[in-house]
Amino acid sequence: MLNLSKEKFFFFDKDVSEIEVKPKSLEHAYLAILSNDLDTARHIFALSDSPRGKWGLVMVSVLEGFLEVYPTYFQIRNFLEIDLDFLIKNEKFDYTEQLLGALDLFVKINQETYKYTARVMSVNKLNTAALNYMEKSKLVNYNDAELHFIFAKYYMDIHDYEKAYDSINICLTLIHDYYPAQVMKQKIEETWI
C-alpha cells in the first residue's frame, strides 16, 4: 500500500496522514496524475469498469491534449466538478487549463458544464473565472434556477446586493419553492433592504 506523506497535498480529505492507497486502485490513478504519470493513470483507469474509471480515461486523454473517447452526459455531471476542484487544489494548473480547454466540447454533451465549472471557480475564490463561466452558462441555459442561485451567491460575496436580489428573484421565478433560494432572499433582504 502507498502512504501519503506530502505536506501540501489535497486528496479529498484535509488530513492525508492516515490514508493508505492500494496499488492499482482509482486513488492510485489520481496519485499518478498528481505525479505527472499519465501513462500509469490511464493504465489503472482502464482496469476499472466503474463509471469513475471510464471518466478517468476521458480525463487523462484531455490532460494529454487529445480526446480519444467522448464523455457521457452523466460522466460530466458526476465527475467534472470534483476533478476540476481536485486539480486546482493540488495546483496542477497545466492540467486544469487542459480540462478547461475541453469545456466547449463538453457543453455540447451536457449543457450544465459551464455552471459546474463556475461553481468550482467560486468555491476556490477565483471570482473572475466564476463570473465568466456563469455568463457562458447563462447563454446556454438562461432558465436554470440553480445558475441564478449561484449568481446571487457570487453577488452576495462581492457585496453587490442589488444584483444578488435580482438574481435570487429570477431563481425563485423559475422554481418558486426552492428553499435555499428563499433563505438567501431573506438574508439579502435583511442585509440590504
Side-chain angles (χ1 to χ4, degrees):
M1 290 194 190
L2 304 169
N3 287 319
L4 307 178
S5 60
K6 189 174 175 187
E7 286 181 32
K8 187 176 183 183
F9 186 69
F10 175 82
F11 200 68
F12 306 115
D13 195 338
K14 294 276 186 207
D15 179 14
V16 296
S17 62
E18 299 297 319
I19 296 176
E20 292 184 3
V21 176
K22 294 179 183 175
K24 297 187 180 180
S25 65
L26 292 173
E27 294 84 2
H28 184 192
Y30 279 92
L31 284 176
I33 290 170
L34 295 181
S35 298
N36 299 317
D37 186 356
L38 297 180
D39 289 335
T40 297
R42 182 188 317 95
H43 173 74
I44 295 169
F45 283 131
L47 296 173
S48 175
D49 192 35
S50 71
R52 169 69 74 182
K54 290 177 182 178
W55 161 257
L57 289 172
V58 170
M59 184 173 67
V60 167
S61 71
V62 169
L63 299 182
E64 291 177 320
F66 181 74
L67 189 60
E68 297 170 348
V69 178
Y70 285 79
T72 66
Y73 173 92
F74 289 107
Q75 287 172 337
I76 295 168
R77 185 189 77 180
N78 294 338
F79 305 120
L80 175 64
E81 277 183 87
I82 295 166
D83 287 349
L84 186 56
D85 187 58
F86 175 73
L87 294 173
I88 290 170
K89 283 185 170 44
N90 281 291
E91 300 177 1
K92 300 303 285 181
F93 300 121
D94 288 346
Y95 290 162
T96 300
E97 288 295 323
Q98 286 294 105
L99 203 51
L100 293 175
L103 297 182
D104 291 343
L105 175 64
F106 288 1
V107 78
K108 293 176 183 175
I109 299 165
N110 183 325
Q111 69 181 10
E112 295 178 280
T113 295
Y114 294 136
K115 176 181 72 177
Y116 302 147
T117 305
R119 194 166 31 218
V120 171
M121 297 300 167
S122 181
V123 165
N124 285 286
K125 307 294 184 216
L126 300 168
N127 291 333
T128 301
L131 182 60
N132 176 49
Y133 287 111
M134 283 185 276
E135 291 293 345
K136 284 184 168 200
S137 185
K138 190 165 61 170
L139 294 174
V140 175
N141 185 11
Y142 182 85
N143 292 322
D144 183 333
E146 186 180 22
L147 173 64
H148 293 285
F149 180 84
I150 295 169
F151 264 113
K153 183 175 180 341
Y154 167 81
Y155 289 126
M156 284 286 289
D157 289 346
I158 65 167
H159 308 289
D160 188 338
Y161 301 110
E162 184 174 355
K163 286 185 180 178
Y165 195 68
D166 291 344
S167 295
I168 208 65
N169 281 326
I170 294 169
C171 175
L172 287 167
T173 298
L174 295 167
I175 301 179
H176 305 293
D177 58 351
Y178 188 17
Y179 182 73
Q182 293 170 344
V183 170
M184 184 178 285
K185 182 175 181 176
Q186 183 178 353
K187 185 176 180 181
I188 295 167
E189 289 172 346
E190 290 169 1
T191 306
W192 180 56
I193 297 179

